[in-house]
Amino acid sequence: MSDGYTNNLCSAYHSKCGDRKAPNKRSKALLKPDNLLVPPHEMSRIGKVIGILSGKGGVGKSLVTALLAVTERRRGVSVGIMDADITGPSIPRFFGRSQRVKMDEFGLYPVETVTGISVVSLNLMIDHETDPVILRGLIISGLVKQFWTEVIWKDIDYLFIDMPPGSGDVPLTVF
Ligand SMILES: Nc1ncnc2c1ncn2[C@@H]1O[C@H](COP(=O)(O)OP(=O)(O)OP(=O)(O)O)[C@@H](O)[C@H]1O
Ligand SMILES: [Mg+2]
């Protein structure tokens, strides 16, 4: 186009229309939502991921997460629970677990419940579950990401994710 209006617009931005280039493949690729997907640990094979969330707190998310996991485990499938409620973890207590998550050079290993459900929670990474922990936004979503990329979930059919209330950083990171 070379009408007066477009020419004025181009000169206002100190460039000519003919000089403008289409974005290269890489910058286009950066805009693709698929790129927000992060692969899990290479030693994990995770079947289905099921997030349990609600906008409101105290409505039974953690209880539903635990009951779903127990129900599926009773059906004989292998199950994991990621306690993504970093600032209010409650899953270990449901299962009476307090030992710490083990780690080696390959990654972190979930704690197993009596019936063999694999659990990862911040409460299983600190010395005492009542210890105060101060965490700000980015660290919280970073931890959730680590629960996915650095935990060796091995071979599980269902990974249930207990979320904190609301639609903030953690649910967005999980999605
Ligand atoms: N269906 C239910 N009937 C009666 N009590 C329930 C039910 N579901 C959960 N509770 C009780 O309500 C309380 C809150 O449940 P829970 O911790 O599962 O909620 P939550 O949504 O995970 O809370 P938060 O948002 O703080 O993580 C607990 O004491 C739990 O035992
Ligand atoms: Mg909860």
Side-chain angles (χ1 to χ4, degrees):
M1 275 170 65
S2 62
D3 59 89
Y5 173 76
T6 316
N7 282 340
N8 282 343
L9 204 62
C10 288
S11 58
Y13 287 97
H14 309 288
S15 68
K16 290 181 187 153
C17 289
D19 296 340
R20 290 164 61 194
K21 292 191 178 90
N24 64 29
K25 273 191 185 150
R26 188 165 178 276
S27 55
K28 263 188 193 162
L30 286 174
L31 298 172
K32 280 176 71 180
D34 285 0
N35 288 338
L36 294 172
L37 295 178
V38 178
H41 193 286
E42 60 185 12
M43 289 162 75
S44 297
R45 193 208 59 85
I46 300 166
K48 300 251 185 271
V49 179
I50 299 173
I52 293 86
L53 75 157
S54 74
K56 194 166 162 50
V59 294
K61 292 180 292 297
S62 302
L63 183 70
V64 167
T65 306
L67 291 177
L68 284 171
V70 168
T71 306
E72 287 307 313
R73 185 71 195 125
R74 281 186 185 158
R75 288 177 55 219
V77 295
S78 52
V79 172
I81 302 179
M82 182 200 289
D83 189 355
D85 193 351
I86 305 289
T87 51
S90 53
I91 293 295
R93 188 175 277 202
F94 275 101
F95 292 95
R97 291 285 129 193
S98 56
Q99 67 265 51
R100 295 183 64 178
V101 161
K102 292 201 168 60
M103 66 175 90
D104 63 17
E105 70 268 34
F106 300 110
L108 298 153
Y109 297 84
V111 167
E112 292 232 327
T113 69
V114 173
T115 59
I117 298 170
S118 304
V119 176
V120 166
S121 168
L122 185 67
N123 259 5
L124 301 173
M125 295 176 177
I126 55 180
D127 286 335
H128 308 286
E129 66 167 55
T130 51
D131 283 351
V133 183
I134 300 173
L135 298 167
R136 303 186 83 157
L138 275 177
I139 297 182
I140 296 174
S141 40
L143 274 168
V144 171
K145 211 167 173 180
Q146 280 179 289
F147 286 0
W148 178 251
T149 58
E150 288 176 31
V151 170
I152 301 168
W153 290 99
K154 292 187 187 150
D155 194 352
I156 53 172
D157 299 304
Y158 293 102
L159 177 64
F160 295 100
I161 306 187
D162 183 27
M163 307 260 210
S167 53
D169 274 350
V170 167
L172 291 175
T173 303
V174 169
F175 291 148

